[in-house]
Each structure stands twice: as structure tokens, then as C-alpha cells.
Amino acid sequence: PHPDAAVFIVAWIMDSCDDVRLDGKPKDPSIPRGSYSHAQKLRAAATYGFGRLHGLGSLAWQKSEVSGKMIGNPSVSETVSRYMITLRKKKVRAGEVATSARAITPEIIYKLYHYNNEPEVAEIKPVTRRRRNAPVDINQWGGGRSRIMLHAVYVISFLCLLRFDEALKIQLQDIRKLTDASFELNLPFRKTSQYGGKITHRVA
């Protein structure tokens, strides 16, 4: 990619979503501009284009110590990241509703548990090869084993107030079985909690 590819990505997003033009002057109010969500989609498209279509992967955009040339994915750069943070702050100040993840509730976990335990969903089927171009039913994803593991992550995240990236750091050695009805989980990282970093959960 061009050495200034990261700057070009910023300019592309800025032209579509920012309230200022590329020359730094304010845009006319009549000119439509995309939301922050649209800006995120543009960046995701750039990340995919450079990463998958051009085979650059997700390596951060950086200068090679060997060749002196820029290597990696220009969309995964400090320049683009800083701009996205700035754009989000501007959108919030302008009154745009901030995007947020849907909070999981005990009711949702309850419904997931019963759905994932339905016979046709919970059945653990043998692994089979599927042709790349074969039609896919979006309602048929994963399998019984994958759904059980995902449900476990959801429950642990809910009980321990973890973000999903924190939950994914938990490994088998962090879990110790106490009895057939309980286990102990030691978080492998710091987590502010009035009860410390250990939780003992009794399985029903």
C-alpha cells in the first residue's frame, strides 16, 4: 500500500461522516453526513479489503526496521484509531446517540438455556465437510458443543461482570471443581470487586 494509506482512509471517512471538509472548513448544513456507525462500517470495509482481499492480515500498520517501508494493514493504524476516537466524541457532542451493546439479562440467559437444550439444537453431531459455495441456513450455526461453550461464557460473564474479551482469557487451569454441584473460578487478571478475584458458583 501507499505509505500514506492510513491518511487516505481517514480522509475517506472524514469526507463521508465528518462535519468539516478535507480543507478544514465546516461543511454546509445541507450536505448529508454519515453517522458514527457508518464510519465504523467504512473502516471495517477498509480493514477487510486490505486484510483479506490484499492478504495483509490484521498486523498493525508500522514501519519495517529491515526495509524501512510501511507494512501491515493501514486500517489497523494509530492514525485511523485516533481519528475514530475524535470523530466519536464529536458525534456525541453533536447529540448523536452513542452506539451501545445490548445488555444481557437473567431472562435472556434463561431463554438461551432452554433453547440450547432443545433436542434438535443440543444434539452433538459428527463433524462433516461442507462445500465452500454450498447454501447456508443462517439459523443453523455451530452445534450442540459450541452452543454449550458459548452459554457457559455468557453465564460466567454475567456472574463475574466481565467483558467478553476478559471472559475469553479464562483457561481450563483457572477453573477448579469443588463438588459435583460447584466449582471455583480464579480470574487470571485484575478485576475490581468488593469480593476479590475469586467466585464460587453452585451449579443447580
Side-chain angles (χ1 to χ4, degrees), residues 101-176:
R102 180 183 179 185
I104 196 166
T105 64
E107 290 74 21
I108 294 176
I109 293 178
Y110 177 83
K111 291 179 180 178
L112 280 172
Y113 173 80
H114 285 282
Y115 179 78
N116 289 333
N117 279 277
E118 292 181 1
E120 63 275 13
V121 177
E123 180 184 0
I124 298 178
K125 302 177 182 179
V127 178
T128 57
R129 290 184 176 273
R130 182 177 60 84
R131 295 178 58 184
R132 179 173 297 180
N133 297 326
V136 179
D137 183 356
I138 61 174
N139 296 315
Q140 298 295 327
W141 59 269
R145 187 177 287 107
S146 297
R147 290 177 179 273
I148 290 173
M149 290 190 294
L150 279 173
H151 188 78
V153 174
Y154 294 149
V155 173
I156 290 174
S157 300
F158 182 80
L159 292 174
C160 301
L161 304 178
L162 303 180
R163 299 191 308 270
F164 213 76
D165 61 310
E166 293 175 328
L168 292 177
K169 293 178 182 178
I170 298 173
Q171 299 182 10
L172 182 61
Q173 61 264 26
D174 302 319
I175 303 173
R176 183 169 69 92

Side-chain angles (χ1 to χ4, degrees), residues 2-190:
H2 192 280
D4 294 325
V7 178
F8 294 158
I9 293 173
V10 170
W12 178 46
I13 299 174
M14 184 178 179
D15 181 62
S16 178
C17 304
D18 213 320
D19 56 0
V20 295
R21 300 185 306 191
L22 297 179
D23 58 4
K25 297 180 180 179
K27 288 182 180 177
D28 188 274
S30 62
I31 300 177
R33 62 208 68 176
S35 63
Y36 181 73
S37 295
H38 184 65
Q40 288 180 305
K41 292 175 183 177
L42 293 179
R43 186 188 185 185
T47 302
Y48 177 83
F50 283 107
R52 296 294 296 275
L53 302 183
H54 293 281
L56 299 178
S58 58
L59 179 67
W61 186 241
Q62 57 190 307
K63 189 173 184 179
S64 172
E65 296 180 357
V66 178
S67 64
K69 297 181 179 180
M70 298 300 293
I71 58 174
N73 191 325
S75 185
V76 187
S77 65
E78 185 178 353
T79 300
V80 178
S81 296
R82 282 204 310 262
Y83 173 73
M84 294 298 292
I85 293 173
T86 302
L87 179 63
R88 186 178 189 279
K89 291 179 179 178
K90 292 173 67 174
K91 292 291 187 180
V92 172
R93 284 199 301 267
E96 182 178 309
V97 178
T99 55
S100 61
R102 180 183 179 185
I104 196 166
T105 64
E107 290 74 21
I108 294 176
I109 293 178
Y110 177 83
K111 291 179 180 178
L112 280 172
Y113 173 80
H114 285 282
Y115 179 78
N116 289 333
N117 279 277
E118 292 181 1
E120 63 275 13
V121 177
E123 180 184 0
I124 298 178
K125 302 177 182 179
V127 178
T128 57
R129 290 184 176 273
R130 182 177 60 84
R131 295 178 58 184
R132 179 173 297 180
N133 297 326
V136 179
D137 183 356
I138 61 174
N139 296 315
Q140 298 295 327
W141 59 269
R145 187 177 287 107
S146 297
R147 290 177 179 273
I148 290 173
M149 290 190 294
L150 279 173
H151 188 78
V153 174
Y154 294 149
V155 173
I156 290 174
S157 300
F158 182 80
L159 292 174
C160 301
L161 304 178
L162 303 180
R163 299 191 308 270
F164 213 76
D165 61 310
E166 293 175 328
L168 292 177
K169 293 178 182 178
I170 298 173
Q171 299 182 10
L172 182 61
Q173 61 264 26
D174 302 319
I175 303 173
R176 183 169 69 92
K177 180 180 178 181
L178 300 179
T179 67
D180 289 339
S182 64
F183 64 88
E184 181 182 273
L185 169 64
N186 290 285
L187 299 179
F189 48 84
R190 289 181 176 271

